[in-house]
Amino acid sequence: MKHNFGAGPGILPQEVLKQSAEAVINFNGTGLSILEISHRSKEFEAVLDEAVALVKELFEVPEGYSVLFLQGGASTQFAMVPYNLLGDGQKAAYLESGVWANKALKEAKFFGEVAVVASSKEANFTFIPKDYEIPADAAYFHVTSNNTIYGTQLHQFPKSPVPMVCDMSSDIFSRKINVADFGLIYAGAQKNMGPAGVTLVIVKNEILGQIERKIPAMLNYKVQIEGGSMYNTPPVFAIYVSMLTLNWIKAKGGVEAIEQDNIAKSRALYAEIERNPFFKPVAATEDRSHMNVCFVMENPDNEKAFLKLCDEKGIVGIKGHRSVGGFRASIYNALPITSVHVLIEAMQEFAEKNK
Amino acid sequence: MKHNFGAGPGILPQEVLKQSAEAVINFNGTGLSILEISHRSKEFEAVLDEAVALVKELFEVPEGYSVLFLQGGASTQFAMVPYNLLGDGQKAAYLESGVWANKALKEAKFFGEVAVVASSKEANFTFIPKDYEIPADAAYFHVTSNNTIYGTQLHQFPKSPVPMVCDMSSDIFSRKINVADFGLIYAGAQKNMGPAGVTLVIVKNEILGQIERKIPAMLNYKVQIEGGSMYNTPPVFAIYVSMLTLNWIKAKGGVEAIEQDNIAKSRALYAEIERNPFFKPVAATEDRSHMNVCFVMENPDNEKAFLKLCDEKGIVGIKGHRSVGGFRASIYNALPITSVHVLIEAMQEFAEKNK
């Protein structure tokens, strides 16, 4: 039994894996694999329709928004967002809360001016900047909702005078959000929604088509909307697994129930980090993520031994990102609280042995 | 038992499907699913390395070329090729041999001038244009090696005075090619190489970096080469299945052996189409594809009944594209010749019953 704390591609529900494996052999009784059916078959069209409907249902997506399943990851969105929304001579506002936010704003500079409204770079991104002003003449305002590497999360979205664009790659469907607050939401699937290879986009239709630029078809949200995410062959299997995962979330009681579970998991783990004299947290208290819990050891010499103990207990994927060091426990939706308990016990056992 | 003649996503080898399903539950004895392992794990890095090595081995890729596994399908390559290779004020040459070639050249027009060297559009693309001249001042020359919809295939590549770029989406690894003849080859995986969601690119390094344009990271071949196809999270599972399929091709004796099988399959099927008075071929004789065999019925009123007979025999995916009508039997690498025999028997049975 493994306890998968990997930062992403991350843990998926066991029942989703089981159904996915079955569909690789025989999809829905068609006698064909999900890997070899036409994306234009009625069976796959039903999968895509269901995935879109589940996104709308789970997030209560209002009228006037489109839901897309695209390829290329959040990194492609870093360019696609300004390609579609940032006209020549216009300015976009970015909050720099981590390396991914930084990569996003660098891509925007290919298309127009970028105003960084605030940054926590000097503090190695251990907190989320607050008390900044969003320029009212910006084409849009871009935020990253959760910063995987540093274990910080935006618990309160700012009021934005311009369309707010949000990279939710590492906390999509982990908590309730108000879609109407956003102009565009995007997320690589591979943390809470499915396997690597598909990217969710939820976009308010009226913010599109406002600029003059000619946009290649695959990078044009309007083309993708018209094609119903099938302008070209979509990533069939990744969409199928996402549909199953969205159904799993629904069966768990939806994002509100999931959010309670995630809060319980992160509270339990943070409590141990605070209590245990061998460990200390990385992120600022008020910005602690419910998805990625980053911590280091009081004595870094102990880290190798603790990692070994984790390995013995089947705890995997817990090594911190090289830019932070220490440990990162990613506790995505599909990670059961029992796995968190196993980690806490390992921390206690380590402290006991080494006191 | 189904006989999958679908045009794509198409048939994959049964042993590949079996191994893929197993890896969805437990990948290489890691105790984790291939859908939830880190792309930076040594286990997945080995998969990607093996996939790249197999491409190089099967196609005898010479020094100086890079092999990439990207996202976004051939349609993204339609834009990425000119983004990287067609400078402002430059001209690119395109052979218009089908709808996909047409889509490719339309995307190039976003970036520079397009010279269509020849087109078979007036004849509904039933043949491959020949005897054209490739302008020596073009930045590159673009061809589509196989035209899925019309069942035509380029059996002899032209000599090009400029780098030749080829969309091999529907015949990659179906036959021997000389990679040194090409500047860039690209192919969506979902016909002969793997599932939908990954795109193979083989590019001659020296043709890159020749133009001034600033290119977003995900669309920049040089960035993707530097990142070893992992500038961002790659489509892990689609690459894994591709690696298995490439290994299957190798075990079958490589592309030369596969090519002989494909020729045998297409010859058998074309022979029946020629012989059987109820059917007639669509594509020009000398341009007939070994991948997609398109045919119609002498009396179109019979098509519904023949489709019904196919359905009874487990023959699926054989309906022709709406722009051609009739039937399209896609006989990709993984389709066994026994399935072709089942189709031939159905054609004979139909003729016998209705004579």
Side-chain angles (χ1 to χ4, degrees):
Chain A
M1 171 75 187
K2 297 288 181 187
H3 304 281
N4 186 0
F5 288 90
I11 187 167
L12 290 174
Q14 283 298 316
E15 44 267 63
V16 168
L17 298 175
K18 193 165 167 288
Q19 270 183 279
S20 302
E22 285 165 8
V24 168
I25 299 299
N26 186 351
F27 165 59
N28 268 10
T30 54
L32 297 176
S33 168
I34 182 79
L35 305 184
E36 53 174 11
I37 58 150
S38 171
H39 58 296
R40 299 282 178 199
S41 62
K42 65 180 189 312
E43 291 86 359
F44 180 69
E45 288 195 344
V47 167
L48 181 54
D49 289 348
E50 188 172 353
V52 169
L54 282 162
V55 169
K56 290 184 175 175
E57 183 183 347
L58 289 170
F59 267 170
E60 297 174 42
V61 177
E63 287 294 305
Y65 283 77
S66 296
V67 172
L68 297 171
F69 287 90
L70 304 179
Q71 290 188 62
S75 294
T76 296
Q77 295 305 309
F78 295 168
M80 201 160 157
V81 163
Y83 223 134
N84 284 265
L85 301 180
L86 183 56
D88 293 330
Q90 288 187 335
K91 173 171 76 177
Y94 278 73
L95 179 66
E96 192 185 27
S97 59
V99 157
W100 296 106
N102 179 270
K103 286 194 179 186
L105 71 88
K106 273 185 181 156
E107 294 294 306
K109 287 180 180 171
F110 285 107
F111 301 94
E113 194 193 328
V114 168
V116 177
V117 296
S119 173
S120 50
K121 193 174 181 178
E122 295 294 306
N124 198 29
F125 299 120
T126 47
F127 70 95
I128 304 275
K130 291 160 203 85
D131 302 322
Y132 46 83
E133 211 159 307
I134 301 166
D137 61 343
Y140 61 86
F141 169 61
H142 182 281
V143 285
T144 314
S145 59
N146 185 76
N147 302 282
T148 331
I149 296 175
Y150 322 94
T152 64
Q153 190 173 24
L154 213 69
H155 293 298
Q156 186 102 43
F157 287 96
K159 292 268 166 245
S160 174
V162 296
M164 182 156 57
V165 174
C166 186
D167 177 359
M168 292 192 188
S169 293
S170 54
D171 66 357
I172 191 95
F173 298 118
S174 73
R175 58 171 168 172
K176 201 170 151 65
I177 56 159
N178 183 19
V179 172
D181 291 342
F182 301 89
L184 192 150
I185 292 166
Y186 63 88
Q190 67 270 12
K191 292 160 202 286
N192 273 322
M193 200 184 80
V198 65
T199 312
L200 176 69
V201 172
I202 305 172
V203 57
K204 193 173 190 174
N205 300 324
E206 68 178 36
I207 72 170
L208 301 175
Q210 302 295 318
I211 64 169
E212 295 272 327
R213 183 180 298 122
K214 287 190 286 183
I215 307 166
M218 283 295 289
L219 300 173
N220 189 332
Y221 292 119
K222 292 188 91 161
V223 170
Q224 297 285 6
I225 292 168
E226 280 158 28
S229 298
M230 295 224 274
Y231 173 78
N232 74 338
T233 311
V236 171
F237 183 70
I239 293 173
Y240 174 72
V241 182
S242 298
M243 180 276 285
L244 295 179
T245 309
L246 292 165
N247 262 317
W248 175 86
I249 294 172
K250 183 179 169 182
K252 291 274 280 185
V255 285
E256 280 172 293
I258 285 276
E259 181 170 15
Q260 294 312 312
D261 288 353
N262 289 329
I263 290 172
K265 287 185 281 177
S266 68
R267 281 211 182 131
L269 190 47
Y270 278 120
E272 178 61 22
I273 294 166
E274 297 279 10
R275 191 206 60 78
N276 192 315
F278 282 76
F279 299 92
K280 62 181 180 187
V282 167
T285 312
E286 71 277 16
D287 300 324
R288 286 174 180 173
S289 169
H290 297 308
M291 291 281 97
N292 314 94
V293 179
C294 295
F295 55 99
V296 294
M297 294 190 85
E298 286 290 350
N299 178 358
D301 293 345
N302 279 326
E303 292 186 351
K304 218 172 152 177
F306 180 66
L307 207 56
K308 191 166 166 290
L309 179 65
C310 286
D311 191 54
E312 286 162 18
K313 294 190 176 294
I315 293 167
V316 298
I318 204 175
K319 204 168 184 300
H321 191 271
R322 63 187 178 281
S323 63
V324 176
F327 304 93
R328 171 174 51 178
S330 297
I331 52 175
Y332 298 125
N333 290 351
L335 187 92
I337 195 156
T338 49
S339 289
V340 174
H341 292 150
V342 170
L343 174 57
I344 290 171
E345 281 155 27
M347 293 165 79
Q348 291 172 347
E349 187 180 318
F350 190 87
E352 191 58 35
K353 271 185 191 160
N354 294 278
K355 74 176 172 192
Chain B
M1 171 73 189
K2 296 288 181 186
H3 304 281
N4 187 358
F5 287 90
I11 187 168
L12 289 173
Q14 282 299 315
E15 44 266 65
V16 167
L17 297 176
K18 193 165 168 288
Q19 272 183 276
S20 301
E22 284 165 9
V24 168
I25 299 298
N26 185 352
F27 166 58
N28 269 9
T30 54
L32 298 176
S33 167
I34 181 79
L35 306 184
E36 53 175 10
I37 59 151
S38 170
H39 58 297
R40 298 284 178 197
S41 62
K42 65 179 190 311
E43 290 86 359
F44 179 70
E45 289 195 342
V47 167
L48 181 54
D49 289 348
E50 188 173 351
V52 170
L54 283 163
V55 170
K56 289 185 175 175
E57 184 183 344
L58 290 170
F59 267 171
E60 298 174 39
V61 177
E63 286 295 304
Y65 283 77
S66 296
V67 172
L68 298 170
F69 287 90
L70 305 179
Q71 290 188 63
S75 295
T76 296
Q77 295 305 309
F78 295 168
M80 200 161 159
V81 162
Y83 222 133
N84 284 264
L85 302 180
L86 183 58
D88 293 330
Q90 287 187 337
K91 173 172 76 177
Y94 278 73
L95 180 66
E96 192 184 29
S97 59
V99 156
W100 296 105
N102 178 270
K103 286 194 178 184
L105 71 88
K106 273 185 182 156
E107 294 295 303
K109 287 179 180 172
F110 285 107
F111 301 93
E113 193 192 329
V114 167
V116 177
V117 296
S119 173
S120 49
K121 194 174 180 179
E122 293 295 306
N124 199 28
F125 299 120
T126 47
F127 69 93
I128 304 274
K130 293 160 201 85
D131 302 322
Y132 47 84
E133 211 159 307
I134 302 166
D137 62 342
Y140 61 86
F141 169 60
H142 182 282
V143 285
T144 313
S145 59
N146 185 76
N147 301 283
T148 329
I149 296 176
Y150 322 94
T152 65
Q153 189 172 25
L154 213 69
H155 293 298
Q156 185 102 44
F157 286 96
K159 292 273 166 241
S160 173
V162 296
M164 182 156 56
V165 174
C166 186
D167 176 359
M168 292 192 189
S169 293
S170 54
D171 66 356
I172 193 94
F173 298 118
S174 74
R175 59 171 168 173
K176 199 171 154 62
I177 57 158
N178 183 21
V179 172
D181 291 342
F182 300 89
L184 193 150
I185 293 164
Y186 63 89
Q190 67 270 14
K191 291 160 201 285
N192 273 321
M193 200 184 80
V198 64
T199 313
L200 175 69
V201 172
I202 305 172
V203 58
K204 193 172 190 174
N205 299 323
E206 67 177 37
I207 72 170
L208 301 175
Q210 302 293 318
I211 63 168
E212 296 272 327
R213 183 180 299 120
K214 288 191 284 183
I215 307 165
M218 283 296 288
L219 299 173
N220 189 332
Y221 291 119
K222 291 187 92 162
V223 170
Q224 296 285 7
I225 291 168
E226 280 157 28
S229 298
M230 296 225 272
Y231 173 78
N232 74 337
T233 311
V236 171
F237 182 70
I239 293 174
Y240 174 71
V241 182
S242 298
M243 180 277 284
L244 295 178
T245 309
L246 292 165
N247 261 316
W248 175 86
I249 294 172
K250 184 179 166 180
K252 291 274 280 184
V255 284
E256 280 172 293
I258 286 277
E259 182 171 13
Q260 293 313 311
D261 288 352
N262 289 329
I263 290 172
K265 286 185 281 178
S266 68
R267 280 211 182 130
L269 190 47
Y270 278 120
E272 179 61 22
I273 294 166
E274 297 279 9
R275 193 204 59 76
N276 192 316
F278 283 75
F279 299 92
K280 61 181 180 186
V282 168
T285 312
E286 70 277 16
D287 299 323
R288 287 174 179 174
S289 169
H290 297 308
M291 292 279 96
N292 313 95
V293 178
C294 295
F295 55 100
V296 292
M297 294 189 86
E298 286 289 350
N299 178 358
D301 293 346
N302 279 324
E303 292 186 351
K304 218 171 155 181
F306 180 64
L307 207 58
K308 190 165 167 289
L309 179 65
C310 287
D311 192 53
E312 286 163 18
K313 294 189 175 296
I315 293 167
V316 298
I318 205 176
K319 205 168 184 298
H321 190 273
R322 63 186 177 281
S323 63
V324 175
F327 304 93
R328 171 173 52 178
S330 297
I331 51 175
Y332 298 126
N333 290 350
L335 186 92
I337 195 157
T338 47
S339 289
V340 174
H341 291 151
V342 171
L343 174 57
I344 290 171
E345 281 155 28
M347 293 165 79
Q348 291 172 349
E349 187 180 317
F350 190 87
E352 190 59 33
K353 271 186 191 160
N354 294 278
K355 75 177 173 191

